[in-house]
Amino acid sequence: MHTEQTIFQLDIGHVPDELAREMGELGFMQWMGGLPGDAGYIHEAVRAYEMARPFIASSPAVAVFCHLLVSSVAMSPAPLPIALPPRTRRGGAQARRMSL
C-alpha cells in the first residue's frame, strides 16, 4: 500500500529538475522506510519499479524515483547519491492559503 501512496505523491506532473530530484529522492527514502523488515529488497524494488514505470514520461519526480530503484539493484553495495534538500522557508501558512 505504501508504494502506491509514494508514487501517487510523486506523480504531480512536470516540475523543475531540482524539485524533481528532491522529490524523487525523498520518495525513495519514504518508500525504503516503509518496507517491512522481512521483505526481500530486490523483489520489492522491482515491484515498485513496475508500478511506477507507466508514470516516468509524465512525471520527472517519478523518473528520479525509478532511476534510484534501478541503481540500487544494479550496482554493487555502494552509497546512492541521495541528500536531504536544503532547509528553506517555503512560505508557511500564507503560501498554503495562496495555493488554494
Side-chain angles (χ1 to χ4, degrees):
M1 176 65 180
H2 83 281
T3 302
E4 293 90 349
Q5 180 181 6
T6 299
I7 294 168
F8 177 75
Q9 291 171 337
L10 293 175
D11 185 27
I12 62 169
H14 291 284
V15 295
D17 291 342
E18 185 61 26
L19 180 58
R21 185 191 59 78
E22 287 179 9
M23 289 179 62
E25 290 176 357
L26 289 173
F28 180 76
M29 288 188 271
Q30 173 181 302
W31 171 80
M32 275 193 11
L35 289 176
D38 60 347
Y41 180 79
I42 293 175
H43 171 74
E44 292 295 325
V46 169
R47 185 168 105 34
Y49 178 80
E50 291 299 321
M51 291 174 68
R53 185 174 54 176
F55 306 101
I56 290 174
S58 63
S59 178
V62 173
V64 171
F65 175 71
C66 287
H67 174 72
L68 289 169
L69 289 170
V70 170
S71 296
S72 69
V73 172
M75 63 193 309
S76 60
L80 290 171
I82 298 176
L84 291 174
R87 296 180 63 114
T88 59
R89 293 190 56 85
R90 298 177 192 250
Q94 184 178 9
R96 284 191 298 278
R97 282 192 290 276
M98 297 298 285
S99 69
L100 296 176

